[in-house]
Amino acid sequence: MLPPAPERRSRYPGRLRVPDRAALAGIMYVLRTGAAWRDVPAETVGCSGVTAWRRLRNWTESRRLAPPARRSAERTASRGRSGPGRLRRGRVPRPSPQRGESRGPSPVDRVRAGSKHHLIVDRHGTPLAVTLTGGNRHDVTQLLALLDAVQPIRGLRGRPRRRPRRLYADRGYDFDRYRRLLWKRGVKPLIARRGVAHGSGLGKVRWVVERAFAWLHQFKRLRTRYERRAGLHQGLLELAFGIICLRRLRTAF
């Protein structure tokens, strides 16, 4: 579902507006191939890269990309393939240029600036919320923010669930303070303890997060962050999120 186009002025209408579908095709070309905006083939796509960038900026600022992604997740849940009963939490660092918003020293080499993708998924690996932070932000700082970002999702029957029953996470989230906050919200934390000799034992259930990151980073534009504006990269993340939910919906029939 595309956002509605603004009404054209009857007096001095100016140049004819590029259709939203053509602009979306240009954005999808950059998202899939990782090409620069100036390299978008206008003859094939039907839209120049500058126009696609501006349309992405406008849609991101007006929050037009997030609601379709949520509706895709809701439709996937209505087919019995998704649900917030059990959530998995994960993150992955992304390299990026030196300037821009939501960047910080990489946790790997502490030299290059980088960003992090924080993702929360259901038990089937369907992404429910995604955020972007600097590479120097601790993972646990986004735990409650991602949990609150999960919208009520309708299942097969009954009222929409607003909170999951359980939440799985690795050792990076091993803080008693956040465990208590999760218990207060009615969520059972299943977080790996640091210092355990034989592993956390969450590998058999937490692998769906890594698979979701693999799905997300099949879009080459998301492997390395090039956008200086954090909102534009967040918009591309939400667009990829909606496409993944749509693919899950197709396999639910």
Side-chain angles (χ1 to χ4, degrees):
M1 179 178 178
L2 293 176
E7 296 183 0
R8 195 181 183 195
R9 296 176 299 180
S10 58
R11 186 178 183 183
Y12 306 114
R15 184 181 298 178
L16 186 64
R17 176 184 171 90
V18 175
D20 287 336
R21 290 187 178 273
L24 181 61
I27 298 173
M28 287 297 303
Y29 179 85
V30 173
L31 182 62
R32 288 186 295 101
T33 63
W37 292 101
R38 62 177 178 272
D39 296 333
V40 175
E43 299 80 7
T44 305
V45 176
C47 172
S48 66
V50 176
T51 301
W53 182 90
R54 289 174 178 170
R55 203 67 57 89
L56 175 64
R57 178 197 59 189
N58 297 338
W59 290 346
T60 302
E61 292 177 352
S62 60
R63 301 296 298 169
R64 295 285 187 178
L65 293 177
R70 294 196 196 104
R71 284 193 290 270
S72 299
E74 188 172 285
R75 292 175 183 175
T76 306
S78 65
R79 297 289 177 178
R81 299 299 299 273
S82 176
R86 301 178 182 178
L87 298 186
R88 278 74 167 174
R89 174 74 170 78
R91 78 280 175 237
V92 63
R94 293 289 94 193
S96 62
Q98 295 292 330
R99 292 178 290 179
E101 305 168 348
S102 297
R103 289 189 175 96
S106 172
V108 179
D109 52 17
R110 297 295 178 183
V111 177
R112 295 185 303 170
S115 301
K116 280 184 181 180
H117 295 164
H118 302 264
L119 185 66
I120 190 168
V121 303
D122 70 345
R123 59 180 178 176
H124 297 291
T126 305
L128 300 177
V130 60
T131 59
L132 175 72
T133 64
N136 56 337
R137 292 291 301 276
H138 198 283
D139 305 331
V140 76
T141 59
Q142 298 299 306
L143 178 62
L144 299 180
L146 271 180
L147 190 63
D148 294 338
V150 176
Q151 299 294 317
I153 298 179
R154 294 177 295 179
L156 294 177
R157 55 185 176 272
R159 65 177 60 183
R161 251 191 108 81
R162 294 182 175 271
R163 290 288 184 269
R165 292 186 294 269
R166 291 176 288 273
L167 187 139
Y168 296 86
D170 60 13
R171 293 182 180 89
Y173 308 92
D174 184 19
F175 291 88
D176 292 335
R177 173 174 174 266
Y178 286 91
R179 281 191 172 89
R180 290 192 296 268
L181 292 175
L182 289 175
W183 278 115
K184 288 182 180 179
R185 295 167 182 253
V187 180
K188 181 180 179 181
L190 297 175
I191 303 175
R193 291 284 185 180
R194 285 174 287 186
V196 178
H198 300 289
S200 62
L202 296 180
K204 60 182 179 181
V205 294
R206 197 184 169 277
W207 62 272
V208 294
V209 182
E210 308 303 331
R211 185 183 63 176
F213 275 120
W215 289 343
L216 194 65
H217 295 149
Q218 285 179 350
F219 301 94
K220 296 182 180 180
R221 188 70 179 186
L222 301 178
R223 296 179 184 177
T224 301
R225 180 185 163 187
Y226 295 101
E227 285 73 28
R228 294 186 180 180
R229 297 189 181 187
L232 293 181
H233 194 78
Q234 180 71 26
L236 293 175
L237 282 172
E238 292 175 351
L239 181 58
F241 164 24
I243 295 172
I244 293 173
C245 290
L246 180 61
R247 292 174 180 173
R248 297 284 297 169
L249 180 63
R250 288 178 176 177
T251 61
F253 289 97

